[in-house]
Amino acid sequence: QVQLVESGGGLVQPGGSLRLSCAASGSIFKINGMGWHRQAPGKERELVAAITKGGSSNYADSVKGRFTISRDNAKNTVYLQMNSLKPEDTAVYYCNADIWARTYDRYPEVWGQGTLVTVSS
């Protein structure tokens, strides 16, 4: 069994910064792509950023230049550095990953439980 656990959410003022972390645990052989999604109240979940095992990344237009995704393969962890936060960034942020377990079972859509980010003065 594999799982993802996010941390780092909270309340921040507009213009502020937060860093989210997401650690994978369990019997892991390797992790392919990892990403962050978010879901605001009354809206559908959307992709925020994604990163390959090799470090190539892509971003939603709404966060380009403000958010940075990175990963530490040795720690099986993905990060999302969020700067210049806006009220419209308020949402529950979820990480996800494509994980191969040591049993050679593949779990292509593992999701974390989500962490709330609130941007408000």
Side-chain angles (χ1 to χ4, degrees), residues 1-3 24-31 76 99-102:
Q1 189 75 357
V2 296
Q3 64 177 355
S25 63
S27 183
I28 296 171
F29 173 59
K30 70 174 182 178
I31 303 176
N76 292 329
I99 299 176
W100 283 90
R102 293 189 183 277

Side-chain angles (χ1 to χ4, degrees), residues 13-32:
Q13 292 186 342
S17 298
L18 277 178
R19 189 192 195 208
L20 306 182
S21 299
C22 173
S25 63
S27 183
I28 296 171
F29 173 59
K30 70 174 182 178
I31 303 176
N32 294 325

Side-chain angles (χ1 to χ4, degrees), residues 32-46:
N32 294 325
M34 305 183 81
W36 288 95
H37 291 66
R38 67 185 180 187
Q39 187 166 19
K43 295 188 176 181
E44 294 187 353
R45 190 174 298 190
E46 62 175 356

Side-chain angles (χ1 to χ4, degrees), residues 11 15-16 21 34-35 37-38 42 57 60-61 65 78-79 81 83 85 87 91 94 97-99 105-106 115:
L11 173 65
S21 299
M34 305 183 81
H37 291 66
R38 67 185 180 187
S57 58
D61 288 343
V78 63
Y79 305 97
Q81 178 65 44
N83 299 328
L85 282 160
Y94 300 89
D98 176 3
I99 299 176
D105 293 314
R106 183 183 180 188
T115 185

